[in-house]
Amino acid sequence: MFLKKSLALCVPLIMSFAAVSSAVAQPAQAPATLVAQGSDSSASTTTTTTTTTSSSSSDDASGSDQDLDSTTAESLMRNRPYGATPEEAFTKARETELKTFEAFTTGSGTSFGSRALKAVCTPLALESIPLKLNDQKVEGNDATLSYAAQKPDVDLQITAHLKKNDKGWRLFRREMRGTKNSDSAKEIVTAFTTQLPGETSMLSLAMVLLVIAGITSTVGSIWLIINAFRKHWAWGLGSLFFPIVQLVFVFANWPLAKKPFLVILGSLVLFCGGCAIPGYYMASSSAEMTTLMEQLNKLNISE
């Protein structure tokens, strides 16, 4: 249970790694999306990055999506295909996401990055569930579609919001509800603990080291400020409001500042150790992630 909770805190770190790796793999393009629309799998958990081909990047740069109300909205839509109707655009988006999921699950990658991304993409399996359209509302260049799973025993409801420009309709954002959606979100953590047991333990250790480093650093700093006040109130106030004064105090009053300074120094060692563990996994996955990103970019649909 502890490992699962600790791993849940590591998901943002892993997704940051994915974005960095993709940027290295495709330096001439916009930031690439490893999980494409996987962020939509949970209304409460949003992890969105974007991947584009050079043609889709140029389309957006030319202002074809000027009807978007923010740069964030533009990045969300950039990897999604156009459709002649809102329903067609939504269906095409689901098909693209399912291809992404299949690319990860059938991939032969063995590095930490590849296996971690397979776990992150677990919710994309929802795209294989047949849906039925319950309601459709179109107002100008905006449309809202309400779907539900065709099988009554599958509790899944989807509300899709789409926007239209000169090229057609495109999925803007989506909310998913129901027990099926909640279970798929939990499966991310389960996938990590089962597919990456060794890495899960090491990442949990990294989180523990970082937490201990933070606590130790705080204790050392407070201890140092207290000793500074013991020396003189001016030293105390200076150390409290100006961290650089703490360093001066250490050199000027080494016997009094030695112990708290060593505690702070120890916290830095723990911090470096906590950062080195995920850093090792990032470095060991870089080569394989480059090839994987090239494969994922081929799945993009630009019209």
Side-chain angles (χ1 to χ4, degrees), residues 28 35 40 50 67 70 76-77 82 98 137 147 157 182 185 285:
V35 290
D40 295 323
T50 53
D67 58 314
S70 68
L76 284 171
M77 296 175 67
Y82 290 101
L98 186 58
K137 182 179 180 181
Y147 289 90
Q157 301 85 43
S182 300
S285 302

Side-chain angles (χ1 to χ4, degrees), residues 19-261:
V20 172
S21 299
S22 64
V24 173
Q26 302 294 333
Q29 299 178 4
T33 296
L34 299 180
V35 290
Q37 285 75 37
S39 60
D40 295 323
S41 63
S42 174
S44 60
T45 304
T46 304
T47 309
T48 305
T49 50
T50 53
T51 202
T52 74
T53 59
S54 57
S55 58
S56 62
S57 296
S58 60
D59 288 342
D60 288 312
S62 63
S64 61
D65 286 333
Q66 291 179 355
D67 58 314
L68 301 182
D69 52 14
S70 68
T71 55
T72 300
E74 181 179 350
S75 66
L76 284 171
M77 296 175 67
R78 188 174 292 163
N79 189 46
R80 294 167 177 169
Y82 290 101
T85 65
E87 189 172 3
E88 180 184 355
F90 177 75
T91 301
K92 285 185 176 181
R94 293 191 83 220
E95 292 173 351
T96 302
E97 293 165 6
L98 186 58
K99 289 179 182 178
T100 302
F101 171 74
E102 293 172 347
F104 278 116
T105 55
T106 59
S108 58
T110 58
S111 71
F112 164 75
S114 297
R115 289 180 293 147
L117 290 172
K118 287 181 183 180
V120 170
C121 283
T122 299
L124 290 179
L126 290 175
E127 306 308 327
S128 62
I129 297 178
L131 300 177
K132 60 180 179 180
L133 180 62
N134 291 334
D135 187 39
Q136 180 174 210
K137 182 179 180 181
V138 180
E139 295 181 350
N141 292 332
D142 297 289
T144 302
L145 307 180
S146 298
Y147 289 90
Q150 287 187 1
K151 293 184 178 181
D153 58 335
V154 178
D155 182 18
L156 178 65
Q157 301 85 43
I158 300 176
T159 301
H161 303 273
L162 300 97
K163 288 183 176 292
K164 183 181 180 181
N165 58 27
D166 57 335
K167 291 190 174 184
W169 291 93
R170 222 175 188 185
L171 180 62
F172 172 58
R173 74 173 186 276
R174 173 180 50 189
E175 295 111 22
M176 301 176 104
R177 298 177 300 279
T179 56
K180 188 67 176 178
N181 178 56
S182 300
D183 292 341
S184 69
K186 297 175 184 177
E187 288 175 4
I188 296 179
V189 176
T190 302
F192 267 99
T193 57
T194 55
Q195 297 178 23
L196 298 91
E199 290 85 349
T200 297
S201 300
M202 293 303 294
L203 289 173
S204 298
L205 174 61
M207 292 298 299
V208 171
L209 290 177
L210 292 175
V211 170
I212 294 177
I215 295 175
T216 304
S217 177
T218 302
V219 171
S221 296
I222 295 175
W223 188 0
L224 185 62
I225 292 173
I226 291 175
N227 284 359
F229 271 108
R230 288 177 177 173
K231 181 67 177 180
H232 193 276
W233 64 266
W235 276 117
L237 290 177
S239 299
L240 180 62
F241 295 105
F242 304 100
I244 189 63
V245 176
Q246 293 185 16
L247 187 60
V248 176
F249 175 76
V250 169
F251 287 102
N253 303 274
W254 176 248
L256 187 61
K258 178 175 65 174
K259 291 183 178 180
F261 176 76

